[in-house]
Amino acid sequence: MNANIENSIEAKVEEVHLSFRESLVVLAVVSIVCLASNWAGTGINPIKALPAMLIIYGMIFVGLLLTKYVRIGFPAVAWVSLISVLLTIPVSPVSAAILSELKNLNFLSIVTPVLAYAAMAITKMEVDLFKRSGFKIAVISILVFTGTYVGSALVANALL
């Protein structure tokens, strides 16, 4: 019976891929929301933080281009990370300029709306999977989160 339920759930799941243009539009909207969130969290004017957001947008744009045209199975997040690291390592000639602009963005302020969206983007399939897993998955999750938090606190306390 469980196999039939899993097969029917998998059959209903339809993966949606955005086109390159749609990805850029979504990225622009997310950038605007992140600028507003940064403004609310830090008080830094969005016009002052705009160059930093444009730098991040540009890095992501190049990563998406590489994903589209360099077909080696490298995911977009890896390309974006590689571009970002290469542009900001100390030996990069543009590193100082980029890092001085990026100081106008607060990581926690811009990641908050992204995490909120991720929380809302839970699919019906994931909820059904959670229901089938029962209370055991919740207990294990709480133990893992608690262990991670306590472990991090111990390391931070010992080293800081």
Side-chain angles (χ1 to χ4, degrees):
M1 180 74 177
N2 269 347
N4 290 339
I5 292 172
E6 287 176 20
N7 289 337
S8 67
I9 290 173
E10 288 175 12
K12 291 179 185 176
V13 174
E14 193 174 312
E15 195 169 332
V16 177
H17 292 282
L18 297 177
S19 70
F20 186 73
R21 179 176 287 159
E22 290 170 332
S23 295
L24 294 180
V25 170
V26 168
L27 181 58
V29 171
V30 169
S31 297
I32 292 167
V33 170
C34 286
L35 279 173
S37 178
N38 188 62
W39 186 21
T42 63
I44 295 175
N45 187 327
I47 300 300
K48 184 177 180 183
L50 184 62
M53 191 56 68
L54 290 173
I55 289 170
I56 291 174
Y57 187 92
M59 290 176 181
I60 296 170
F61 177 76
V62 171
L64 290 175
L65 277 177
L66 289 171
T67 303
K68 183 175 181 178
Y69 293 112
V70 180
R71 301 278 185 191
I72 60 171
F74 217 45
V77 70
W79 281 117
V80 171
S81 298
L82 181 64
I83 296 300
S84 302
V85 167
L86 290 176
L87 289 176
T88 58
I89 58 175
V91 297
S92 171
V94 295
S95 174
I98 289 175
L99 292 176
S100 70
E101 285 296 331
L102 290 178
K103 288 180 183 176
N104 290 321
L105 292 177
N106 180 285
F107 176 75
L108 289 178
S109 293
I110 65 174
V111 79
T112 301
V114 174
L115 292 176
Y117 172 74
M120 292 186 311
I122 295 175
T123 65
K124 183 173 176 3
M125 182 191 77
E126 291 164 331
V127 172
D128 291 340
L129 179 64
F130 181 75
K131 286 178 182 176
R132 281 198 323 262
S133 299
F135 75 96
K136 292 180 270 183
I137 191 82
V139 171
I140 291 170
S141 298
I142 290 170
L143 291 174
V144 168
F145 295 148
T146 304
T148 303
Y149 177 77
V150 170
S152 298
L154 290 174
V155 169
N157 193 30
L159 298 178
L160 301 175

